[in-house]
Amino acid sequence: MNKVCFYFQVHQPLQLRRYRFFDMGINHNYYDDYLNKLAIRRIAEKSYLPMNNLLMELIKIHGDKIKICMSISGTTIEQLKWYAPDVLKSFKKLIKTGNVELLSETYNHSFSALADVETFKQQVIKQHKLLEETFEVSPEVFCNTELLFFDDIADVISELSYKACLIEGARHVLGWRSSEYLYSSAANQTLKLITRNVSLSDDIEYRFGNTAWDQWPLTAEKYLTWVDKAFEKGECLTLGFDYENFGEYQIANTGIFDFMKELLRLLAVKDEYELITPSEIVKEFKPAAQLHIPHPITWAGDEKDMSTWLGNELQEDAFKNLYSVSNKMLNCESRELIKDYDLIQSSDNFIYMSTKLFSKGSFARHYVSPYDSPYNAYINYMNVLSDFLMRI
């Protein structure tokens, strides 16, 4: 039987307000509350609620045959509490069915794993507790920010008691191997690695609504023939998406909701397929090989590296200054300072400084910056960071 795992990343950044040089030392409110409330409500109405309702409807009809997994960042959970409690209730209802496995990640969707191990540990532990308190579940599988992984964090993830980590099936890592197998980390063989199928995921996430694509329009039946082909060289297929892809990037008029409903229905009713969760993959399969990943990989762009977030001098400078005080913040007892330090670490702050935003292709479509240039994004962020550094 062909085992298929669906992963959805749920993350909404907390946007910074326009913070001027003259605000420093006077006003320590860094966030645009109006914009954040507007953004979370918009994405909820266009994507989260329709997709949650679709999944709930399928679960009611097909029961345990519908299984998916998702990660929900702490930043998103907090904003849902503040601005959209009805949407948080919808996620709780979905997860309570037991058909949705929650994966852990960093609380603030940060790249702290690259800068400071102890800060990274703190954020993962904080997120784990938040998921337990909010959804009454204890995740067994980890999924780092934007699927970031490299050998040096394998021991840390394993020490935090996670059995496996979901990573990108990057071609330069897999080489001749197929992403349709379970692997283990060469740096820590107790940590299993579940690899996302890049091409089949991108067919839905990036190409589905493109009328110029030679495979448009994509139907569930046609997509399943591609799934069958993937299983000619593997045991378990993992597909991964931004949750807001459904309704926001691929708007409802493209037919994306009808497509997903039919695809999941077919996978549930056809005997040759079984939907499976990451923890079930770990129980059912043995690692086919070890993966050695000396350099950080992510699921961004064609390079599958960190260049989207740390590819230019502005990004590197901001990142270096942000984590220059990580050791000091580990012993900080001020709730306000801890809260602000958590929130300004969001990876989104660095993507707004990326010059890749002006390139063509799938990357640019998924990340719309609230700033008119990477330089202005950098200036605004550094004003906020400078004020924060003065406070500590």
Side-chain angles (χ1 to χ4, degrees), residues 29-97:
N29 177 19
Y30 305 140
Y31 316 105
D32 190 330
D33 297 335
Y34 174 77
L35 178 62
N36 287 316
K37 182 177 181 179
L38 203 65
I40 201 79
R41 286 303 328 181
R42 190 198 72 244
I43 199 72
E45 298 298 330
K46 293 181 67 175
S47 175
Y48 294 172
L49 288 173
M51 199 60 188
N52 284 1
N53 291 338
L54 183 154
L55 291 170
M56 183 59 76
E57 181 184 339
L58 287 170
I59 289 170
K60 285 180 179 176
I61 296 172
H62 302 289
D64 290 343
K65 289 186 177 294
I66 298 293
K67 293 178 183 176
I68 62 152
C69 71
M70 59 173 59
S71 61
I72 310 176
S73 70
T75 308
T76 303
I77 294 171
E78 300 294 4
Q79 290 192 82
L80 292 176
K81 287 180 181 176
W82 299 335
Y83 305 127
D86 57 317
V87 184
L88 182 59
K89 187 177 179 182
S90 173
F91 276 109
K92 285 181 178 178
K93 191 176 176 183
L94 193 60
I95 291 163
K96 198 172 183 179
T97 62

Side-chain angles (χ1 to χ4, degrees), residues 9 22 37 40 42 52 63 85 90 97 116 120 140 181 187 201 208 241 249 290 294 307 320 342 376:
Q9 172 186 273
F22 299 104
K37 182 177 181 179
I40 201 79
R42 190 198 72 244
N52 284 1
S90 173
T97 62
D116 186 279
F120 174 63
E140 297 179 353
Y181 285 101
S201 299
F208 179 82
F241 315 93
Y249 305 138
Q290 298 173 20
S307 59
K320 180 182 175 183
D342 279 345
N376 283 338

